[in-house]
Every structure is written in C-alpha cells, then in structure tokens.
Amino acid sequence: PSATNQAGSIILSRGSKIVAVKQSRQEVLVWTDNAVYSLQYLGPPAGWGAQIVGENITIASSLCVAYANGMAYWMGKGKFYVYTGQAQPLKCNLKYHVFSDINMDQYGQVFAGTNEEFHEIWWFYCSTSSTTIDKYVVYNYADQIWYYGTMGRTAWLDSGLRDYPL
C-alpha cells in the first residue's frame, strides 16, 4: 500500500484460509475453507469491499471452480454449488455416485473445466481406488442434466481458438 494506489487489506471474518479466487463480470469471488465472499471495487478512499455471499460452504480444491453462463460452479466436499448472486447447493442426482467413490485424501487434485459449446461444466477427480485422476462428472447447465465416466486427465482447456477442448 502507498499514497499513490488503493492497495490495502480486507479482513474476511469466516474461515481460516483462502482456498480459491475467481474473477467474474463485476466482482471477484473468494472462497475460504467455509465461506464465499464477493469483493467489489468501491473506488476511493475505501478501494475494495467484501460481502459474504455464502456460509458453511465447502470447496474441494483451488482449481475446482468454473465460470460459465454468468455463474460460478464448484465442487464442494459432499455437494456441488452454484453462485448466482448467492451461493447455493446445485441439485445433483449423481451426488451419491460421485461422493461415495471419491478419494478424500486427493481432494486437492480436483479441477474443473468448461465446454461452453455444449453448455457443460466438467469436474475431474480421483476415485477411492486411485491417487491419480481417473473419473469425471459433467453438469449441463442448459438442460440441467448430469453424466459421468472414467477418464484420466490432468489438464483441461475449453475450445476457444480450436475446434475441440484440449
């Protein structure tokens, strides 16, 4: 911080550590280990302000958040969530299938990606019998349907400049 910028500090009242950060259209979303905050730029002299938008929320890893369709989607520890101005659980008919076969010691490897051409959010995770990613679950937000499968993957990039996701 200095007299020529608006850097400073914000105290987040819930959680003991910051787990993930994702920029959306007009705010920055910050996940702690048990809450979600919306940070918005307020201008001088305050700089930034924080508002809690979800309490008692879990997040699986720092890379398990995907932003699509103007909303943030993420995998928690036992549920999926969506942020639409407030954090809320996402209805999932595969919740038992996913969370009964996930290696909880490997939550840190969980990551998310989008396939926006098909309105999909993908999450990759380790099954209970694996220490490397071998499973996925997909949410189609346009049709509000879920599907799953087996696939090893360590990275994901939506198509953007190419014909297919990488």
Side-chain angles (χ1 to χ4, degrees), residues 59-71:
I59 185 165
S61 74
S62 62
L63 299 175
C64 73
V65 181
Y67 187 78
N69 193 36
M71 294 181 262

Side-chain angles (χ1 to χ4, degrees), residues 53-140:
V53 294
E55 294 186 77
N56 300 317
I57 300 290
T58 62
I59 185 165
S61 74
S62 62
L63 299 175
C64 73
V65 181
Y67 187 78
N69 193 36
M71 294 181 262
Y73 300 86
W74 70 96
M75 178 189 279
K77 295 181 178 178
K79 317 179 171 176
F80 293 93
Y81 296 92
V82 62
Y83 172 76
T84 61
Q86 286 291 346
Q88 55 195 3
L90 189 58
K91 290 183 182 180
C92 177
N93 59 348
L94 295 177
K95 186 167 80 168
Y96 179 78
H97 173 81
V98 172
F99 293 106
S100 67
D101 186 28
I102 192 168
N103 187 335
M104 291 185 234
D105 293 333
Q106 301 299 323
Y107 264 127
Q109 290 191 57
V110 174
F111 73 94
T114 61
N115 188 350
E116 292 197 48
E117 180 180 355
F118 295 102
H119 315 288
E120 296 171 338
I121 308 294
W122 289 62
W123 286 277
F124 296 90
Y125 62 96
C126 303
S127 65
T128 54
S129 61
S130 181
T131 57
T132 58
I133 291 174
D134 61 346
K135 298 275 184 138
Y136 68 88
V137 62
V138 179
Y139 177 62
N140 182 306

